[in-house]
Amino acid sequence: MENIDFDGVDGPDGIINIYTETGTTPADGTWTIDPKFVSAFDAATGNLFMWELKKSTTIITQDDYFFELKNATCGDVPVRTARLVLGPYSGVALPPSGPLNVNAQGCDLIGFDLFSAFALDKNTPSPHLNGEWTYNGSSSSFISVNNDGFLKVEIPYQPGVPLVDQEVFELTYTVSGIAGCSPPQQTTVRVAMVRQVDSGESEPIHICEDDLLAGVYDADIDLTNDLYLLGEDIEGIWLPEPTGQIDNSQDSMVNLRAIYDNLIDNGNNLRFGRKKFDFTYSVEQRSAVCSDETTKVSFVFYEQLRPFNQSNPPFQRCNNIPGEIDLYNLLEFTTENGLLFEYFSNKKTNWRLVSGSSDLGLHVLSPPNPLKPYTYKGTINPFGAEPGTYVFEYAVSPSINGDPDSICDPYATSPLGEFYCEHPCDVMTARVEIQIFGFDYAGEDTKDISLCESQGQVDLRSLLRTNGTTVVTTGVWTNTAGDVIDNTFVFPNSNSSQTFAFTYTTNTINGCVDSADLTFTVNTLPNAGENASRTLCSDDLTITLFDLLGGNPVTTGTWKGPFGYTSPDHLGIFDSDNVLLPVLGAGDYIYVVPGNPGCSAQDQSTVTITIVEPVEIGNDRSETFCKIDGRVSLYSLLDRDTPRTGIFEDTDNTGALSADGVVEFETLTNNIYNFRYVIANTLPCDQSSLNVAIQIIDLPIPNVPPQEFCILDASRLEDIEVDVLNYNWYATLESEIPIIDNPLLFDNQVYYIATIDANNCESERLEVLINILNTGERFANGELCTLDFQDGVSPNGDSQNDTFDLLIEEVYNIPEAFPDFDLKIYNRYGSLVYEGNLNTEEFRGESNVSVQLGDDLPSGTYFYVFVPNFENNLPIQGSFYLSR
């Protein structure tokens, strides 16, 4: 094999150049390779990095490294083709070392990548990957090796010394070539494979507290017994643990009863729930290529359930008492050594009905019901239940001690059942008995009954509503004071309706009480009061008819009157300010009181209304005036139909109203002023009046400071900052027509500004003087009015410095500031290449003078001379760089 050193630096690099190898040059076109190998080929230079090609050339791969030379003339048709035949390379093994003379070492548990036994550095490439591995041996420990170089072996365990169980495996990697190119290459590696140590297997031992108390685990046990630890290497040690049972690393004897006695701490820790004790067996690794192994031998202690039962059974309830009962509250739990062993859980308990005609709505854990989710409380509802004895049972799964998350049904006995949980301890149950008694029916609560006083008396039980059941006659009637009354009730005399409330109560020998409340009203005969009359003014038709009636009318009647009027209630309200109410008209209004509930006769009375008309004065008026208007006659503001026989009153005491109704504006400020116009009327009408309001608009003068602008800004009238929103500009103090365009500002110009509003009112005018600074002059704040052109032009179409800009927003506006300007640009030899003015296209790297007209100028430094040709603004010269 030839060692190729293309760059001549630091030894071989495996690089060849396709152009050199094929006798071509870049002028002939560009070489390409299959896209799968582009990472190994630099098309720009033609360099091929053969160390990046991972397979030798064989019959299968003979077309992989295929090149095509293409150029623009021939298009997609190759001008020339070439094929690289790559000889086989099987790599270089790492130097052998150690007494076993091996190239590498691995662990049998995870297998070994044989390619990691090869040298790989800047002068040594990795082997080709299309070779084959062959095992040179016959050991029974050998399992397999694949062409990816992954070796699998299993080293047998040999107890005792030597501690390192290992075996050497020799394998050869063969890479074939193509006939006529190069013979196959082989590399042999020796690998020492070390056995991974084994600390054995163990399953947790689950122990219930009652077995511990029964002495099942009083004797010492050996943790290495196969009952607890199976298949471990004997060279391991026991690690320290918190119980103190393990004395040293070789001690494997423990006493579970002693651990339990220490756990409960002389009865101070009886509620330990679930406690796990781990004893760890550790075997250290025999070589750095493998790892340590540990196994935990675990014992799990479970607190046993203490008994519980119903206290003072049975529980009794009448079936007419509403409300639920929590059966759990009827249980009494064991107290031991001052500790209460109470068991409540929505996942580890369940209730069931043992006997009784119904489960009374009991929710159970299993089968689950989304509409009746289970709780440990065992809630039932005996209201309306059939009388009798009911027996329920509460069961607690022992997994309640120490396993909070899973759901365990203590009644599930088959491993195939839903929510079955296996546990070393027993389920604990207790029964709850309740007795449900019936009651004597007293009827339903009854109200909204009306009787007439003419009836005289009534049978109270006959007034009670029922659910279809007959009301017993053995009950007792009482009033709100608790006094017993007869079932036959005689109405007391009264001038008004009376409401009575009584309670009917029954009681059985078992103490089941039922009651029904009765409320009824004894109504009097109707009373519509005495007739009345009233005269009203038509401008104030606000009245309540009921208030006009004489006598003592009741409030249960309604009104009817002229123009189809009817009232919604007994009041008969008319309000001239309420558009939702009808308008009162002249005529008779009749108040009709219907017969009261239980009484059929009706009564009525009449109210006669007379209406007087006042003078029609018109509507309130309001107007707005500019203070500069001077004065106004209030009579001129009245409606044309308003009589002029009245007088004006100065409601706001302005002092600006004259006797003839004229208001002078001189003393009035920016405000609204109210005046009242009054005409006398005939009784009962009050005087007619209306209000006249005038608003005076007195606008403030704008505040505009002296104006300074740089001539470069080409500022206009709208650039002047004003402290008001609405205003007009004028050319003179007396101008009537405001400036509507936006003129360019010039030095020493004078404009006038005034505030305006939506009513075209205007303030006094303010004179504003314009000061335009020439280049080189400073503003009052010291800022300089100066012109700095850009220092570079790059006409590449990116919209940045494509031209020598004469207009840059917020910086300068040359065409408007200096309309007569002249710009000349020279190259570094002093030759004029561009001359421009207002009518010339901006310089964009092209000449517009002499024989170079339209030519693209070369990159380099250019010089400009800018002449403003305006007043005292001096020429400006400088340079910029033209970049292509």
Side-chain angles (χ1 to χ4, degrees):
M1 176 180 290
E2 180 184 358
N3 288 331
I4 299 175
D5 183 10
F6 180 77
D7 56 11
V9 178
D10 293 336
D13 51 28
I15 302 173
I16 63 172
N17 186 274
I18 298 300
Y19 287 106
T20 302
E21 299 295 330
T22 59
T24 58
T25 68
D28 298 323
T30 301
W31 284 101
T32 61
I33 195 173
D34 189 300
K36 294 185 293 184
F37 309 107
V38 293
S39 62
F41 183 62
D42 185 350
T45 64
N47 289 342
L48 176 65
F49 300 84
M50 292 190 296
W51 287 4
E52 297 296 323
L53 302 177
K54 299 303 182 182
K55 293 183 179 181
S56 65
T57 300
T58 63
I59 294 176
I60 297 174
T61 64
Q62 60 183 337
D63 293 325
D64 281 1
Y65 310 134
F66 184 77
F67 298 85
E68 292 182 335
L69 180 67
K70 296 181 181 179
N71 56 34
T73 302
C74 296
D76 291 335
V77 178
V79 180
R80 191 172 181 182
T81 61
R83 179 178 288 105
L84 172 68
V85 176
L86 189 61
Y89 175 64
S90 60
V92 177
L94 290 171
S97 63
L100 298 178
N101 197 34
V102 295
N103 303 99
Q105 186 181 46
C107 187
D108 71 342
L109 179 66
I110 58 177
F112 184 73
D113 181 3
L114 293 172
F115 286 111
S116 64
F118 284 81
L120 181 63
D121 54 42
K122 64 180 181 178
N123 293 322
T124 307
S126 59
H128 287 143
L129 299 181
N130 56 337
E132 294 184 359
W133 283 98
T134 304
Y135 170 51
N136 304 327
S138 59
S139 172
S140 61
S141 302
F142 174 79
I143 298 177
S144 66
V145 62
N146 60 26
N147 286 336
D148 291 332
F150 192 75
L151 173 66
K152 292 183 180 180
V153 301
E154 184 176 347
I155 308 301
Y157 172 53
Q158 297 181 13
V161 294
L163 294 179
V164 180
D165 297 328
Q166 67 176 342
E167 187 175 340
V168 175
F169 296 85
E170 182 179 287
L171 300 104
T172 299
Y173 186 58
T174 303
V175 180
S176 300
I178 195 166
C181 177
S182 178
Q185 273 207 354
Q186 292 184 333
T187 301
T188 298
V189 296
R190 286 170 55 84
V191 180
M193 297 298 290
V194 180
R195 175 185 174 273
Q196 169 64 47
V197 296
D198 190 352
S199 58
E201 297 179 357
S202 178
E203 293 291 335
I205 306 299
H206 300 275
I207 303 173
C208 187
E209 184 180 13
D210 56 358
D211 287 337
L212 289 165
L213 294 174
V216 176
Y217 294 96
D218 285 357
D220 292 346
I221 62 173
D222 187 348
L223 296 178
T224 61
N225 189 299
D226 287 350
L227 292 174
Y228 312 111
L229 184 62
L230 179 65
E232 76 277 9
D233 291 356
I234 65 173
E235 294 82 14
I237 62 172
W238 291 94
L239 300 182
E241 47 76 36
T243 68
Q245 289 289 305
I246 300 297
D247 292 333
N248 55 67
S249 62
Q250 299 303 315
D251 180 16
S252 61
M253 304 299 293
V254 297
N255 188 291
L256 299 181
R257 178 55 187 261
I259 295 174
Y260 167 75
D261 291 340
N262 185 61
L263 171 65
I264 64 174
D265 188 22
N266 295 318
N268 295 319
N269 187 35
L270 295 177
R271 297 302 311 262
F272 62 86
R274 174 183 181 273
K275 187 67 175 179
K276 183 180 180 184
F277 298 93
D278 294 327
F279 300 92
T280 305
Y281 185 68
S282 175
V283 183
E284 290 186 347
Q285 55 93 4
R286 305 310 183 204
S287 176
V289 295
C290 294
S291 59
D292 297 345
E293 285 288 325
T294 60
T295 300
K296 289 184 178 180
V297 178
S298 300
F299 298 92
V300 185
F301 292 174
Y302 293 92
E303 173 191 328
Q304 68 174 347
L305 298 176
R306 269 56 169 187
F308 49 88
N309 51 54
Q310 181 179 5
S311 59
N312 301 319
F315 177 84
Q316 298 177 339
R317 171 69 73 90
C318 298
N319 65 357
N320 66 332
I321 298 178
E324 298 177 330
I325 298 173
D326 289 342
L327 296 174
Y328 183 83
N329 293 336
L330 304 180
L331 291 171
E332 188 176 80
F333 293 88
T334 298
T335 298
E336 184 177 331
N337 206 28
L339 296 175
L340 177 62
F341 288 79
E342 184 177 5
Y343 305 110
F344 52 89
S345 170
N346 294 337
K347 296 182 178 181
K348 311 293 184 183
T349 64
N350 201 1
W351 285 94
R352 69 177 179 179
L353 174 68
V354 176
S355 64
S357 59
S358 166
D359 65 4
L360 304 183
L362 178 71
H363 299 184
V364 296
L365 176 69
S366 180
N369 185 346
L371 300 179
K372 299 170 63 176
Y374 172 77
T375 73
Y376 71 92
K377 294 183 178 180
T379 304
I380 60 172
N381 190 348
F383 183 73
E386 180 180 343
T389 299
Y390 296 77
V391 179
F392 298 90
E393 185 177 72
Y394 183 59
V396 180
S397 169
S399 63
I400 196 172
N401 289 325
D403 184 12
D405 297 324
S406 64
I407 300 177
C408 295
D409 181 5
Y411 289 124
T413 57
S414 170
L416 300 178
E418 187 174 25
F419 303 148
Y420 170 79
C421 293
E422 186 172 356
H423 201 279
C425 298
D426 295 330
V427 172
M428 188 65 68
T429 63
R431 294 189 174 186
V432 175
E433 178 182 337
I434 67 170
Q435 291 181 346
I436 299 177
F437 302 119
F439 65 97
D440 288 340
Y441 184 58
E444 304 297 320
D445 290 342
T446 306
K447 59 181 180 179
D448 299 330
I449 293 180
S450 297
L451 306 174
C452 190
E453 62 182 356
S454 60
Q455 186 175 341
Q457 65 181 33
V458 69
D459 182 308
L460 296 179
R461 277 195 299 271
S462 67
L463 300 180
L464 290 171
R465 296 194 208 33
T466 70
N467 59 8
T469 304
T470 302
V471 176
V472 299
T473 60
T474 56
V476 176
W477 285 101
T478 55
N479 59 20
T480 54
D483 302 325
V484 177
I485 61 172
D486 292 336
N487 181 62
T488 300
F489 178 70
V490 179
F491 302 156
N493 293 327
S494 176
N495 294 324
S496 60
S497 297
Q498 303 175 83
T499 298
F500 300 93
F502 303 122
T503 299
Y504 187 59
T505 304
T506 65
N507 196 346
T508 67
I509 58 173
N510 294 317
C512 293
V513 176
D514 191 30
S515 65
D517 293 329
L518 172 64
T519 302
F520 63 94
T521 300
V522 178
N523 294 306
T524 59
L525 295 173
N527 180 8
E530 299 174 359
N531 297 337
S533 63
R534 178 64 58 90
T535 301
L536 302 173
C537 185
S538 63
D539 66 353
D540 185 13
L541 299 180
T542 298
I543 195 171
T544 301
L545 296 176
F546 186 79
D547 295 341
L548 304 180
L549 292 173
N552 296 305
V554 297
T555 61
T556 57
T558 57
W559 293 89
K560 60 182 179 180
F563 316 111
Y565 169 74
T566 58
S567 69
D569 52 32
H570 72 284
L571 295 173
I573 297 176
F574 293 90
D575 188 342
S576 57
D577 293 330
N578 191 338
V579 297
L580 299 179
L581 295 176
V583 179
L584 181 68
D588 291 336
Y589 293 83
I590 301 173
Y591 183 58
V592 179
V593 177
N596 291 326
C599 302
S600 58
Q602 68 176 28
D603 192 20
Q604 70 179 41
S605 58
T606 302
V607 173
T608 302
I609 299 297
T610 303
I611 298 176
V612 176
E613 297 292 334
V615 174
E616 190 67 37
I617 195 170
N619 299 320
D620 291 346
R621 301 287 296 164
S622 63
E623 293 290 346
T624 300
F625 299 93
C626 302
K627 185 170 182 178
I628 61 175
D629 292 339
R631 65 201 306 266
V632 67
S633 172
L634 298 180
Y635 284 100
S636 67
L637 305 182
L638 297 175
D639 291 336
R640 293 183 61 85
D641 296 335
T642 300
R644 265 56 174 179
T645 58
I647 61 172
F648 281 98
E649 297 176 350
D650 191 354
T651 307
D652 291 343
N653 296 318
T654 65
L657 177 65
S658 66
D660 57 356
V662 176
V663 178
E664 301 288 346
F665 297 163
E666 181 178 358
T667 60
L668 303 182
T669 60
N670 201 46
N671 209 337
I672 297 176
Y673 300 92
N674 297 295
F675 302 90
R676 185 167 178 261
Y677 183 60
V678 181
I679 298 177
N681 278 316
T682 303
L683 295 176
C685 294
D686 294 331
Q687 59 187 5
S688 296
S689 67
L690 59 82
N691 293 320
V692 177
I694 62 173
Q695 181 176 9
I696 304 301
I697 305 299
D698 187 9
L699 298 176
I701 302 174
N703 179 18
V704 181
Q707 298 297 304
E708 286 185 318
F709 298 96
C710 180
I711 191 170
L712 297 171
D713 297 331
S715 300
R716 294 184 175 273
L717 188 62
E718 68 180 11
D719 295 323
I720 298 177
E721 295 184 1
V722 181
D723 66 338
V724 294
L725 294 177
N726 300 306
Y727 53 88
N728 280 339
W729 285 103
Y730 296 94
T732 66
L733 186 62
E734 296 80 13
S735 296
E736 295 184 358
I737 300 176
I739 299 172
I740 60 175
D741 57 359
N742 186 26
L744 193 66
L745 300 180
F746 295 99
D747 193 32
N748 291 323
Q749 277 184 306
V750 176
Y751 290 97
Y752 296 87
I753 187 172
T755 305
I756 61 171
D757 68 1
N759 297 314
N760 291 323
C761 284
E762 186 176 284
S763 70
E764 294 184 28
R765 298 182 183 182
L766 174 71
E767 178 183 289
V768 179
L769 175 63
I770 307 301
N771 181 19
I772 303 298
L773 302 178
N774 291 321
T775 57
E777 295 180 339
R778 292 187 181 275
F779 288 88
N781 61 5
E783 185 178 343
L784 185 65
C785 174
T786 184
L787 176 60
D788 292 323
F789 285 112
Q790 66 206 69
D791 57 5
V793 175
S794 56
N796 55 11
D798 64 354
S799 299
Q800 295 184 0
N801 295 328
D802 284 341
T803 67
F804 190 82
D805 293 323
L806 299 177
L807 169 59
I808 300 179
E809 292 186 7
E810 308 297 335
V811 180
Y812 51 72
N813 187 344
I814 299 302
E816 288 200 10
F818 304 119
D820 296 325
F821 76 90
D822 179 60
L823 174 65
K824 291 182 173 63
I825 298 177
Y826 302 87
N827 62 19
R828 61 179 177 173
Y829 304 110
S831 298
L832 180 66
V833 297
Y834 173 85
E835 186 173 7
N837 54 36
L838 182 65
N839 300 315
T840 306
E841 184 179 3
E842 288 183 342
F843 175 74
R844 57 179 64 253
E846 299 175 356
S847 174
N848 69 348
V849 298
S850 68
V851 295
Q852 295 181 337
L853 183 64
D855 290 349
D856 289 338
L857 298 173
S859 298
T861 301
Y862 290 81
F863 303 88
Y864 62 84
V865 177
F866 175 78
V867 182
N869 291 323
F870 185 80
E871 295 185 355
N872 297 324
N873 292 273
L874 298 178
I876 298 172
Q877 58 185 1
S879 65
F880 63 88
Y881 187 80
L882 175 63
S883 175
R884 288 291 180 182

